[in-house]
Amino acid sequence: MAAEGFQTARGTRDVLWPESWQMEAMRDLALSWAARFGYTLIETPIVEKSGVFLRLGETTDIVQHERYRFVDAGGEDLTLRPEGTAAVARAFIQHGFAEAPQPVRLCYFGPMFRRERPEAGRYRQHTQFGAELYGSDSPLADAEVILLALGLVDMAGLKQPEARINSIGCQVCRPAYRQALIEFFSQRQDQLCADCQVRLRQNPLRLLDCKVDVALREDAPDVQAFWCDDCRNHITAVIDLIREAGYRIERDRHLVRGLDYYTRTVFEVGHPTLGRQVALFGGGRYDGLTAGLNGPWVPAVGFGMGIERLLSALPAPLPMPVAARVYVAHLPHFEREGYRLARDLRAQGFAADSDLLDRSLKAQLKEAGRRATIAVIVGGREWADGLVTVRDLGRAEQETVERDQLANYLRQKIQEDQA
Ligand code: HAM
């Protein structure tokens, strides 16, 4: 029981073993998979000047209601990052990546903060793995980031993800679509929820993904009828490339996503185990976000993936490290010898620990059974003769081994056990 008043803040949690290991394993898997595509890791600060995230859109939930924004003791207006894309765009400009050979491929793995209503799979601190590809407006770039994300989900062992994609048009064709939506929903304004009344004026596309007004959107105009030739060719090519790689993906005409920076491609991938409202990853194209942050205009596309969600959906955990922990137990008065032997074994590459509580041999072996696969027992006459006892805790077998041969013996034994 935690002491009253000292528990994790609402919507946050401690990550305990073995989940903490699962997170690390997923980080390794994600970064090494991304490296195969040429993505290099970028770690931006967890706090940014608040202005960086204002570009996500005044009507965006994570800007409007969900920001952890504060003024520090020096009067600086800062925000805990709610997502990675704007922070990476800021870094892209700051380090002059626009002058580097294009495309520039960056990926990140770390915590994001949103003051959302906590529920299953929704935290106020969550972990995202994301990838951002700069400098290409080709549909090949969109397909690359989607296939990177789908490939990771697949490698982690989660099969048959449900991928949805849409194009929300571009500066050329979106204005007419926007107007058509305003007209459509204005005629039904009395039926709209309070949020959508506001969205109708500020960002009518968001009416399409309202969780309340789902019936109303069925008859709303389809963006497909408004696409310019470039947008139509682009989305068609992306879908073809994903399918060609063996994945299922469907167009969802109601998919618009919650961030204002998107243009053309938007996508979201879920899994039946998570429920329809909960996405594993989402992303899209955001050409020119860099220009909004006072940098050069650069085309870009990327995704962000919720790692807690991915882990919770896996049918089986990622492989755990092989437990070859050696526990050094000691006979009475040989505590120091046990301690030193454990220290030497660690120096020789073994995971080893020893008793620090001067317990009875019986109590030590009980502890060893919980923590180790091998116990080394030191002390008594044996120690004086240069010998130790090695007990295989799984098989309940034991052997006497010469102390100076112990490392070789253990190495061989662990190898045999792992084979
Ligand atoms: P997003 O859809 O807001 O996109 O978040 C990406 C993913 O992060 C979601 O699909 C979900 O898996 C996870 N996620 C978001 N909020 C939470 C939460 N409260 N609790 C647990 N998991 C969560 C972005 O953030 C964009 N930056 C993605 C992107 C990258 N677009 C272009 N490049």
Side-chain angles (χ1 to χ4, degrees):
M1 276 294 285
E4 205 180 327
F6 292 102
Q7 298 183 358
T8 46
R10 193 163 133 78
T12 69
R13 64 206 187 97
D14 299 315
V15 182
L16 307 178
W17 186 274
E19 195 193 345
S20 50
W21 165 263
Q22 292 290 308
M23 290 286 260
E24 276 308 298
M26 190 56 83
R27 182 184 159 98
D28 277 359
L29 192 65
L31 298 187
S32 56
W33 175 238
R36 278 203 222 174
F37 292 73
Y39 287 75
T40 54
L41 178 65
I42 179 167
E43 298 208 2
T44 63
I46 283 166
V47 291
E48 293 272 352
K49 291 182 182 166
S50 291
V52 170
F53 300 114
L54 284 173
R55 299 289 164 186
L56 304 183
E58 301 291 345
T59 62
T60 304
D61 286 341
I62 61 175
V63 171
Q64 259 197 340
H65 324 289
E66 298 171 358
R67 279 212 297 172
Y68 281 102
R69 180 177 182 179
F70 61 98
V71 177
D72 77 1
E76 194 153 21
D77 182 353
L78 299 171
T79 294
L80 292 187
R81 63 181 186 195
E83 61 110 49
T85 308
V88 172
R90 191 268 311 136
F92 183 91
I93 300 164
Q94 186 171 337
H95 302 289
F97 286 170
E99 281 81 58
Q102 306 290 310
V104 172
R105 294 180 168 94
L106 301 166
C107 66
Y108 50 90
F109 191 107
M112 308 292 164
F113 303 84
R114 300 179 182 183
R115 202 178 175 287
E116 296 192 84
R117 201 162 59 81
E119 52 193 58
R122 197 174 296 284
Y123 306 104
R124 290 182 170 179
Q125 175 179 338
H126 71 278
T127 312
Q128 270 189 37
F129 167 61
E132 314 288 357
L133 192 163
Y134 280 90
S136 168
D137 59 8
S138 162
L140 295 173
D142 307 48
E144 178 179 294
V145 297
I146 298 171
L147 290 175
L148 163 55
L150 283 172
L152 177 62
V153 170
D154 190 43
M155 278 202 309
L158 188 62
K159 302 301 167 192
Q160 300 194 311
E162 290 173 349
R164 300 178 295 131
I165 191 166
N166 196 14
S167 172
I168 56 169
C170 63
Q171 278 171 337
V172 175
C173 58
R174 199 183 316 139
Y177 181 54
R178 195 173 180 275
Q179 197 49 43
L181 285 179
I182 293 174
E183 278 162 27
F184 175 84
F185 284 113
S186 296
Q187 286 160 16
R188 294 155 181 84
Q189 199 162 357
D190 51 338
Q191 298 166 55
L192 296 177
C193 71
D195 285 343
C196 281
Q197 302 275 355
V198 180
R199 288 182 189 131
L200 183 57
R201 274 178 281 117
Q202 295 182 331
N203 188 354
L205 265 72
R206 288 301 310 279
L207 271 82
L208 294 175
D209 75 348
C210 174
K211 311 284 182 277
V212 185
D213 296 330
V214 268
L216 221 50
R217 71 183 188 187
E218 286 312 315
D219 298 324
D222 183 348
V223 66
Q224 184 166 13
F226 294 79
W227 287 335
C228 61
D229 285 348
D230 284 349
C231 282
R232 180 181 310 282
N233 293 339
H234 192 94
I235 180 90
T236 308
V238 177
I239 293 175
D240 284 350
L241 288 160
I242 305 299
R243 291 191 177 150
E244 176 190 300
Y247 290 99
R248 289 188 54 176
I249 190 162
E250 301 300 333
R251 188 173 90 84
D252 176 352
R253 67 190 178 95
H254 296 128
L255 182 64
V256 291
R257 302 224 350 111
L259 293 149
D260 279 7
Y261 50 54
Y262 291 117
T263 175
R264 287 200 172 144
T265 315
V266 288
F267 54 85
E268 220 160 76
V269 172
H271 195 269
T273 55
L274 288 171
R276 179 120 181 114
Q277 307 285 355
V278 180
L280 267 179
F281 69 84
R285 179 162 279 285
Y286 53 95
D287 300 342
L289 174 64
T290 41
L293 291 166
N294 303 334
W297 191 96
V298 184
V301 58
F303 72 85
M305 182 183 294
I307 295 301
E308 290 83 2
R309 292 184 184 179
L310 176 57
L311 286 174
S312 77
L314 294 187
L318 297 173
M320 293 295 284
V322 181
R325 190 162 257 283
V326 178
Y327 189 92
V328 184
H330 63 88
L331 296 175
H333 314 301
F334 283 83
E335 192 183 23
R336 285 284 166 113
E337 284 76 4
Y339 179 83
R340 289 194 195 105
L341 183 62
R343 192 188 63 197
D344 292 347
L345 286 173
R346 283 195 290 271
Q348 293 175 85
F350 298 95
D353 63 15
S354 65
D355 173 55
L356 303 178
L357 301 173
D358 205 13
R359 283 176 282 203
S360 69
L361 183 63
K362 191 171 164 212
Q364 290 180 64
L365 289 175
K366 200 168 158 199
E367 172 77 355
R370 276 196 294 267
R371 301 170 57 80
T373 52
I374 300 169
V376 177
I377 304 164
V378 304
R381 275 288 305 278
E382 262 186 19
W383 186 261
D385 294 343
L387 300 171
V388 293
T389 297
V390 178
R391 183 177 294 189
D392 182 322
L393 294 163
R395 300 203 186 98
E397 298 164 358
Q398 65 180 42
E399 246 179 283
T400 309
V401 178
E402 289 190 20
R403 213 155 65 218
D404 54 10
Q405 286 304 311
L406 180 63
N408 285 340
Y409 178 88
L410 288 177
R411 210 161 275 134
Q412 205 176 351
K413 178 159 182 56
I414 289 165
Q415 237 168 35
E416 281 167 14
D417 285 355
Q418 287 173 358

